[in-house]
Amino acid sequence: SAVVFPNKISTEQQSLMLVKRLLAVAVSCITYLRGIFPESAYGTRYMDDVCVKILREDKNCPGSTQLVKWMLGCYDALQKKYLRMIVLAVYTHPEDPQTITECYHFKFKYTHNGPLLDFGSKNKRNDSTITCADTKKASILLIRKIYVLMQNLSPLPNDVCLTMKLFYYDEVTPSDYQPPGFKEGECEGMIFEGEPMYLNVGEVPTPFHMLKVKVTTEKQRMENTDKSILKHGENDVP
């Protein structure tokens, strides 16, 4: 029942497992706290001392089953080191999935000898200095920040739809590659409904991967939120 942290992350496999779990926890927390699926679509787990909700396949909720399938497709692309970014987007008009009202970006980097903390990151470190404790601390901080942010945003409209888009490292990804549950995208662009607010939620480094999470929401949903919960990068455009 626990989302356990490995005692050490000395292999790429251990790192991959942690990144997959973190992604599952993050997506579950977001959809739970934004009220996208009913309570029955989640199980309860503990991540250290943090109680988290984890999405599961619920036969009464086809949407949750669909999202679990998408997640398995993401894992496939992550394992092959093709996946560059996941965009989980919320839209309000079923016939127009390109016009979104909120979205969540999960960005991934892969390295053989330590993460490249070069993208917009102030705290450059040596490859060798990323310890399991650093990763664990960053993971828990990331999940706590998602929790606090999602609880503070004003609610989404009723009856929203979800879509997920995957972006790849094109130089290594075969042109015909599609993970299970995905098809070739027809259009790159997304239009944001209303005035977007870009938020950097956090990043988690391991010796083999880097996961970075950002949220774009309607500015008005942030009106009553204490900006200090996100300390940095308030208007960092992705």
Side-chain angles (χ1 to χ4, degrees):
S1 70
V3 182
V4 186
F5 283 99
N7 294 326
K8 57 180 196 301
I9 304 172
S10 50
T11 68
E12 201 166 328
Q13 199 48 45
Q14 288 168 329
S15 175
L16 177 68
M17 185 56 88
L18 179 72
V19 172
K20 284 180 177 179
R21 284 179 180 167
L22 265 182
L23 182 61
V25 172
V27 167
S28 299
C29 287
I30 287 168
T31 55
Y32 180 76
L33 291 164
R34 296 311 270 140
I36 291 171
F37 300 120
E39 185 85 37
S40 60
Y42 299 86
T44 302
R45 295 276 186 278
Y46 286 87
M47 188 170 165
D48 247 33
D49 58 343
V50 186
C51 176
V52 292
K53 295 287 186 179
I54 299 285
L55 195 66
R56 57 182 174 196
E57 294 186 70
D58 173 8
K59 58 181 187 302
N60 300 319
C61 178
S64 72
T65 302
Q66 180 63 61
L67 183 51
V68 169
K69 287 191 173 122
W70 288 347
M71 295 296 288
L72 295 174
C74 295
Y75 290 171
D76 187 79
L78 196 57
Q79 229 155 323
K80 293 182 166 78
K81 298 194 197 176
Y82 296 162
L83 188 60
R84 177 169 64 85
M85 179 166 71
I86 299 169
V87 177
L88 182 63
V90 177
Y91 60 102
T92 50
H93 307 293
E95 69 297 337
D96 181 16
Q98 300 302 333
T99 303
I100 61 173
T101 185
E102 194 161 284
C103 70
Y104 318 97
H105 295 79
F106 303 90
K107 296 182 173 186
F108 303 90
K109 285 205 159 188
Y110 313 88
T111 61
H112 291 297
N113 52 354
L116 304 164
L117 284 163
D118 58 357
F119 54 142
S121 190
K122 311 281 180 288
N123 50 343
K124 296 271 197 293
R125 327 183 196 182
N126 292 328
D127 301 344
S128 58
T129 58
I130 293 200
T131 64
C132 196
D134 292 333
T135 300
K136 183 173 171 178
K137 193 174 163 188
S139 302
I140 289 177
L141 183 63
L142 176 72
I143 298 306
R144 283 187 190 280
K145 276 181 148 179
I146 290 174
Y147 250 71
V148 173
L149 176 62
M150 296 298 133
Q151 282 172 321
N152 280 281
L153 288 179
S154 56
L156 287 168
N158 290 337
D159 299 331
V160 293
C161 308
L162 275 186
T163 181
M164 188 182 269
K165 291 177 185 275
L166 305 187
F167 297 82
Y168 303 107
Y169 285 104
D170 290 337
E171 60 279 12
V172 293
T173 309
S175 57
D176 60 350
Y177 172 73
Q178 293 300 338
F182 289 85
K183 62 181 183 7
E184 186 65 40
E186 280 135 38
C187 136
E188 285 281 302
M190 286 181 166
I191 304 150
F192 199 87
E193 212 173 354
E195 192 182 346
M197 178 98 182
Y198 303 104
L199 305 159
N200 276 329
V201 184
E203 53 189 52
V204 177
T206 84
F208 302 91
H209 295 87
M210 163 72 103
L211 165 65
K212 192 168 191 175
V213 181
K214 295 183 169 194
V215 173
T216 308
T217 188
E218 164 64 64
K219 197 169 185 186
Q220 283 175 321
R221 288 188 201 123
M222 282 290 296
E223 298 295 277
N224 307 320
T225 304
D226 176 6
K227 305 289 189 295
S228 69
I229 59 172
L230 287 160
K231 295 293 185 286
H232 61 283
E234 236 79 272
N235 284 317
D236 187 25
V237 180

